[in-house]
Amino acid sequence: MTAFIEAASPHVMNTYGRVPIALERGQGCRVWDVNGKEYLDALGGIAVNTLGHNHPRLVPALQDQLTKLIHTSNYYHVPGQEILAKMLVERAKMTNVFFCSTGLEANEAAIKIARKYGVDKGIARPEIVVYDHAFHGRSIATMTATGNAKVRDGFGPLLDGFIRVAPNDYQALLAATEGNANITAVLMEPIQGEGGLHPMRAEYLQQVRALCDERGWLLMLDEVQAGMGRTGKWFAHQWAGIVPDVMSLAKGLGSGVPVGAVVAHGKAAEVLKPGNHGSTFGGNPFAMRAGIETIRIMEEDGLLEHAARVGEHLKAALRAKLGVLDGVVDIRGQGLMIGVELNKPCGQLIGQAAAAGLLLSVTADTVIRLVPPLILTEAEADEIVERLLPLVQAVLAA
Ligand SMILES: *Cc1c(COP(=O)(O)O)cnc(C)c1O
């Protein structure tokens, strides 16, 4: 088994630069590989495993669902869709939900809403404002919306209808859109994840919200990574006290079961009509049960407050131990979505940390990303810092 893994997988397409370990089981914030080596999971499957691994209430609920129905078809009503949709719209103060299975699909649905919303208003060639350093997925449309040339290069021709601006620069947004009557929406991540853990400022979000209202544009927020309690509120934009017209969700929504959703509000909620959009797997009974139980457990266990508190603890510990090092440029983030930016590329840390028993990622070349399960304890947060410190010291000394 191990030898096979270390020799790579000749039959699996080589699309990932993988670390040479193979994980076999998990419990809480710990996982073990096929050789029995233990790891502390500060990655959570990239902000996916909200409730950690083998959760004592999620797993029995999923087992129960497996014995009832895994999948039916959207030809028929799926009662779980109504339950999960109601849970989401109540927490988002929005109107309705379309279910899919991944983040890019949620963003595709958002882009389709923005285009149809424009076409319905008589705009033949709708345009959407997107951002430098944004990441929205790897389909043709979401890749076009993505701000990273490394993601886009080699896959042209890309799509028309996107205008790119710099984050957090309201004047630049005004200048780029001046006199353009084709704009129908602004799409952004409230905290850019893949782009290097860069938050949009609350004031900027509020300004764009007001501008969208004034111009009749849809404010569409990609909360695929920052949503579902990760920042200590249900949705990251809630720190700015605004409500978007469209919001995409996925990653943490099903605690590891693939669930995506696009949540719409007001006029945006009426755009898609029967026949306009669909998904075979989207909203299937198993996926819905995962979403429902994730939210139920998060609420029963107070995981929003917990993520906010443990996140502050982790950030403070990182600042105390790593923030003092020459070469640590910034430590930022909200709740359990934290970035440690170094003054040099540090992609090798992913493998080095794994060797030292810690799972994490590096985004935008220089930013260590910590997005652990929301059940992380303060003691585990301290352990992350302990394990990370010598690794970062070594990278900076090299
Ligand atoms: C991960 C991510 C996506 C893409 O999600 P997939 O499920 O991989 O398609 C889109 N937007 C953001 C902000 C993400 O972090």
Side-chain angles (χ1 to χ4, degrees), residues 21-253:
I21 62 172
L23 302 170
E24 190 172 56
R25 67 190 172 88
Q27 187 65 52
C29 292
R30 313 262 163 189
V31 292
W32 287 266
D33 71 15
V34 292
N35 299 321
K37 179 178 158 88
E38 182 184 315
Y39 303 81
L40 178 58
D41 188 0
L43 180 62
I46 318 185
V48 167
N49 299 310
T50 305
L51 303 177
H53 304 278
N54 194 26
H55 190 280
R57 277 172 290 150
L58 177 68
V59 171
L62 294 177
Q63 285 168 331
D64 169 69
Q65 187 60 46
L66 286 171
T67 66
K68 290 177 175 155
L69 279 174
I70 297 173
H71 180 82
T72 52
S73 163
N74 283 308
Y75 281 173
Y76 316 107
H77 287 279
V78 178
Q81 288 185 13
E82 179 52 34
I83 297 169
L84 182 55
K86 183 165 188 280
M87 289 173 124
L88 290 173
V89 301
E90 281 174 2
R91 283 157 186 78
K93 300 189 166 53
M94 295 171 71
T95 307
N96 61 18
V97 184
F98 173 85
F99 288 109
C100 50
S101 308
T102 67
L104 80 80
E105 287 175 275
N107 286 324
E108 284 276 347
I111 291 164
K112 284 180 72 172
I113 289 172
R115 286 187 164 191
K116 180 101 176 359
Y117 170 73
V119 169
D120 289 348
K121 284 203 296 190
I123 299 170
R125 298 184 65 79
E127 294 178 30
I128 299 171
V129 177
V130 294
Y131 286 79
D132 291 338
H133 316 299
F135 182 82
H136 298 297
R138 290 170 179 277
S139 66
I140 299 293
T142 58
M143 190 178 71
T144 305
T146 288
N148 182 348
K150 271 196 232 162
V151 174
R152 297 192 310 259
D153 284 357
F155 298 102
L158 300 179
L159 298 183
D160 289 340
F162 293 90
I163 294 174
R164 194 171 304 284
V165 300
N168 283 322
D169 186 341
Y170 186 64
Q171 293 309 320
L173 174 62
L174 288 180
T177 58
E178 196 188 333
N180 185 338
N182 288 333
I183 291 169
T184 60
V186 177
L187 170 64
M188 73 174 114
E189 301 155 80
I191 302 174
Q192 292 186 332
E194 304 306 305
L197 270 290
H198 291 289
M200 298 288 176
R201 282 181 288 103
E203 186 201 13
Y204 181 74
L205 284 167
Q206 290 154 3
Q207 285 173 321
V208 179
R209 173 69 279 179
L211 185 69
C212 286
D213 287 339
E214 189 188 306
R215 306 256 171 110
W217 304 341
L218 301 178
L219 176 58
M220 310 204 299
L221 296 181
D222 179 349
E223 292 253 14
V224 167
Q225 189 163 155
M228 293 312 298
R230 175 127 313 266
T231 66
K233 291 197 186 282
W234 282 110
F235 310 108
H237 66 260
Q238 291 174 331
W239 290 102
I242 60 161
V243 177
D245 301 297
V246 177
M247 167 172 72
S248 42
L249 297 173
K251 291 201 164 90
L253 176 52

